[in-house]
Amino acid sequence: MALIEGHRAIDAPPGVEIWDIDPYDPDVQRSPSAFYAALRAKGPFVYLSRYGMLACGRYAETREVFSDHSRFVSSRGVGLQDFQLDSPWRPPSIVLEVDPPEHGKARRALMRALSPKAVAEMRDSFQIAADALLDEVIETPEIEAVSALAETFPTTVFPKAMGLLTVDRQVLIDYGSMVFNALGPDNETRRAAMAHAGDIVPRIAAQCERANLAPNGMAMTIYKAADAGDITEGEAGLLVRSLLSAGVDTTVTGIGNALWCLSQNPDQFDALRAEPSLATNAFEETLRYTSPVSAFCRTANADTEVAGVAIPEGAKILCVLGAANLDPGQWENADRFDITRKVAGHLALGAGIHSCVGQNLARAEGQAFLSALARKVARIEPTAEAVWRPNNAMHPLDRLPLRLIPA
Ligand code: OVV
């Protein structure tokens, strides 16, 4: 049987609109809001004819599929490939690409390393780093904020918190790009990201070894779970790889997107400056409004039904988190960036047992960064159009030219 992008194509279920759009088209990825709106308008699901799969973008169904780990599994991959039918480019993640019961053991080891208490102990150093970075950057009024701020801040604080002894920021960023772009089809974007694999994969593997980790970082906390017999030494290495896979590009994108939101909405930046404690909610609203992780797939593990739609075993479902997070049926003034709104329930960090295990840490980074911005910058002015970077699972900026006026 012929596979499309590594999965078995299904037929369109009765009553589901057939749509020939390519969600992985770089033009759609750079400017996804029309795609998001059309996806929601067409029904609870659409049939993506070029991939022989389903997609959803209304809040209720996206949440249902994304969080029901027994009907919609992750072990068959959260991209287009079905790991039962086609082999993935790297050994699967033992936390992302796995189901219960195996999932629980890995998740618990990560939860200990990323606990609220562990994150609380990082906060002061994050704030010092954010303040220092902004003090330095506002010396130069005109910046390209993706490289000057969004990439610099997380790649300064996160490898240190992990306890990486040697850090090549570009390797970390490029590895994240591989991991996320590999979730899409074999398109130009994926091929460009994967072109670096030969150099990067061995360097990431070395980063995960115990010998290359500081005794007091998060990564060593994971190895201590191996010492305690909770996981194996090999599993510890793979969980450290998960931190490197999911911990860099996500927060780089979140912080870049926050700068974009605030630069486009000066009234909201004024509100943040007036009340810097809004930093936490401003970051959360950025997650809802821009969905740094725009879409992941699930795979139906048996014939089932959602919202009256028959879904056959083996169906891939593209869960478009970015569309759900802008669903006007769920959010008042959904397309308004409002740092004071009640934003709980957004799907930018997922939902259910696979929801982002690093979310406390991600929020701590976002909060420290936006708090520093609120105190040190009086005005953020775009100096040229922002440019978005095509990515098969994320919605990141490529370039964000800004002028920062010091407070
Ligand atoms: C892209 C991504 C998200 C979450 C976890 C992982 C990767 C992983 O490698 O475990």
Side-chain angles (χ1 to χ4, degrees):
M1 172 222 320
L3 300 183
I4 298 185
E5 300 296 347
H7 68 266
R8 179 163 33 82
I10 62 160
D11 295 328
V16 170
E17 182 167 331
I18 296 171
W19 197 11
D20 68 356
I21 192 169
D22 183 2
Y24 300 98
D25 180 325
D27 290 333
V28 173
Q29 292 170 338
R30 276 188 282 260
S31 177
S33 45
F35 163 63
Y36 290 167
L39 175 64
R40 290 189 306 261
K42 286 173 186 293
F45 293 90
V46 299
Y47 178 74
L48 298 174
S49 50
R50 66 177 75 206
Y51 297 113
M53 65 187 287
L54 300 175
C56 58
R58 291 183 183 175
Y59 182 84
E61 288 80 18
T62 305
R63 185 176 192 100
E64 178 172 347
V65 173
F66 215 59
S67 55
D68 188 338
H69 56 84
S70 48
R71 285 191 298 159
F72 303 108
V73 297
S74 291
S75 55
R76 296 169 73 166
V78 299
L80 290 187
Q81 268 185 314
D82 182 345
F83 292 180
Q84 280 186 5
L85 304 175
D86 198 19
S87 32
W89 70 280
R90 60 171 196 166
S93 164
I94 63 167
V95 65
L96 175 73
E97 293 155 332
V98 69
D99 302 322
E102 295 80 9
H103 171 262
K105 194 172 64 154
R107 172 92 185 185
R108 277 191 294 277
L110 283 176
M111 279 173 61
R112 275 198 296 275
L114 294 158
S115 68
K117 180 167 175 289
V119 171
E121 285 165 11
M122 302 171 195
R123 283 184 196 281
D124 288 351
S125 68
F126 287 7
Q127 197 61 69
I128 290 166
D131 285 26
L133 176 62
L134 278 162
D135 283 340
E136 182 193 321
V137 164
I138 46 184
E139 299 280 309
T140 321
E142 297 207 1
I143 60 166
E144 194 292 286
V146 171
S147 68
L149 294 171
E151 292 185 346
T152 305
F153 182 62
T155 56
T156 303
V157 298
F158 181 74
K160 209 164 177 191
M162 272 192 73
L164 304 187
L165 293 178
T166 54
V167 178
D168 183 321
R169 293 171 178 195
Q170 203 55 48
V171 166
L172 295 178
I173 288 169
D174 290 347
Y175 185 64
S177 171
M178 289 169 57
V179 171
F180 282 92
N181 280 310
L183 299 175
D186 182 26
N187 59 9
E188 192 47 51
T189 311
R190 187 184 198 271
R191 281 196 290 270
M194 289 305 190
H196 305 285
D199 301 336
I200 291 172
V201 169
R203 295 181 69 177
I204 290 292
Q207 291 276 27
C208 297
E209 285 172 22
R210 199 190 270 260
N212 296 326
L213 298 168
N216 55 353
M218 273 185 295
M220 199 55 87
T221 306
I222 292 171
Y223 273 102
K224 283 179 191 154
D227 295 336
D230 298 337
I231 54 175
T232 68
E233 186 83 3
E235 288 169 336
L238 282 171
L239 291 179
V240 174
R241 190 193 70 172
S242 286
L243 295 181
L244 296 177
S245 302
V248 177
D249 293 48
T250 47
T251 48
V252 166
T253 302
I255 287 169
N257 291 6
L259 282 162
W260 177 77
C261 289
L262 293 167
S263 69
Q264 297 291 312
N265 295 277
D267 63 315
Q268 297 299 302
F269 185 56
D270 288 344
L272 175 62
R273 285 186 61 226
E275 186 53 72
S277 67
L278 283 170
T280 307
N281 209 58
F283 190 65
E284 211 65 33
E285 171 69 343
T286 297
L287 298 183
R288 181 196 72 86
Y289 191 68
T290 69
S291 299
V293 175
S294 50
F296 273 6
C297 295
R298 292 289 190 258
T299 313
N301 212 29
D303 293 350
T304 186
E305 190 195 300
V306 173
V309 171
I311 301 176
E313 186 280 326
K316 279 283 178 184
I317 306 168
L318 183 68
C319 299
V320 185
L321 308 172
N325 282 338
L326 295 171
D327 185 345
Q330 179 67 21
W331 311 96
E332 223 170 282
N333 299 315
D335 55 7
R336 191 152 85 209
F337 176 71
D338 173 2
I339 67 168
T340 64
R341 82 159 68 231
K342 284 206 183 78
V343 66
H346 71 72
L347 298 179
L349 299 163
I353 65 164
H354 289 286
S355 68
C356 177
V357 72
Q359 57 186 277
N360 297 315
L361 177 54
R363 289 192 179 105
E365 287 185 34
Q367 191 265 333
F369 182 82
L370 292 183
S371 151
L373 193 73
R375 285 177 285 106
K376 293 181 181 290
V377 174
R379 240 177 27 247
I380 308 173
E381 295 174 351
T383 51
E385 280 278 297
V387 179
W388 294 87
R389 181 184 300 172
N391 183 293
N392 289 334
M394 302 187 69
H395 186 47
L397 287 156
D398 191 53
R399 286 196 305 281
L400 181 63
L402 297 178
R403 182 182 300 114
L404 302 183
I405 318 290

